[in-house]
Amino acid sequence: MKEQLQDVDAPTHVDVLNSSNEASSPIFSVRHDTLRFRGGDTAKRDVVVHDDAVGIVAIRGTETPEILLIRQYRHPVEQLMWEIPAGLLDHEGEDPRDAAKRELAEEAQLAADEWDVLAHYASSPGFSTEKVTIFLATSVHESNLPEGFVLEAEEAEIVKRWVPLADVVDAVVAGQLSSPSLVIGALAAARRFDIR
C-alpha cells in the first residue's frame, strides 16, 4: 500500500488566468477563478476562501479510552450534532496548537498536558480552502474559560459527554455520526490506541 501512495497529496501548477472576489464575510470570502490546465482546457471555478481550523480528540483513560464529545446545533444542516471540540484559527498566523488549546478551554472548560497531531484534512477541497488539523489531547484536566470569553448562542447550549472510543468508532462505521472532524479524529485515535 505504501508503494501505491508514493505520490501523496502535493501542490501542482494550474494557470489562473483571472481571479475576482465575489463576496466576503468575517470568516470567508468567495472568489471566482478562471483556470487553464496543462492540456489547454479552461474552466471557471468558485472558491470559498475559508479560515483554517482545528479539532481536538480529548482522551481520558488508557485501558478503555474515552473520547470527549460535545453536542451542539449546526444551522447549515439544521441538526444537533455530536462532535469533538473544534474551531477556527482566530487570526492569521495563529499556531494551530495554541488554537486547539483555546478551543478546548472555550468549548469544554478543559486543558491537557500532552498534545500530538493526529491528522490533517481538507474539509471540502472541491470548493473550499479550509484545512483542518486534528490534535490528540491527553492528561486532560478541568480548566476555566479563557479570560474575557463568554459562552453564547450555540456554545451556551453545548452538552458534553465522555464516551468509550470503541463505541464512537462503532457509531461512525454504522453511519450514526457524521461530523467530519469527529469521524476522522475518532478513526485516527482508534488506530493510535489499537482499537478495532
Side-chain angles (χ1 to χ4, degrees), residues 100-112:
K101 290 177 180 181
R102 175 179 43 75
E103 288 294 337
L104 186 61
E106 289 176 358
E107 294 190 345
Q109 293 79 60
L110 292 174

Side-chain angles (χ1 to χ4, degrees), residues 13 50-51 53 58 71 101 111-112 142 153-154 186:
H13 181 72
H50 195 286
D51 292 344
R71 191 174 196 202
K101 290 177 180 181
E142 297 292 323
E154 297 94 332

Side-chain angles (χ1 to χ4, degrees), residues 123-185:
S123 61
S124 193
F127 73 90
S128 174
T129 63
E130 181 187 41
K131 293 181 181 149
V132 182
T133 303
I134 304 291
F135 287 92
L136 173 66
T138 54
S139 299
V140 177
H141 50 88
E142 297 292 323
S143 173
N144 294 321
L145 282 170
E147 187 175 329
F149 181 77
V150 178
L151 291 168
E152 55 188 12
E154 297 94 332
E155 290 179 331
E157 298 179 358
I158 284 176
V159 173
K160 298 177 278 190
R161 186 169 297 156
W162 289 97
V163 182
L165 179 57
D167 292 350
V168 172
V169 170
D170 288 345
V172 165
V173 172
Q176 298 167 329
L177 298 170
S178 58
S179 164
S181 293
L182 169 58
V183 170
I184 293 166

Side-chain angles (χ1 to χ4, degrees), residues 56-69 84 110 136-140 161-168 186 189 193 195:
I56 304 96
V57 173
I59 296 286
R60 70 178 186 187
T62 53
E63 292 282 322
T64 307
E66 293 181 312
I67 181 174
L68 175 69
L69 300 186
I84 57 175
L110 292 174
L136 173 66
T138 54
S139 299
V140 177
R161 186 169 297 156
W162 289 97
V163 182
L165 179 57
D167 292 350
V168 172
F193 287 91
I195 293 174

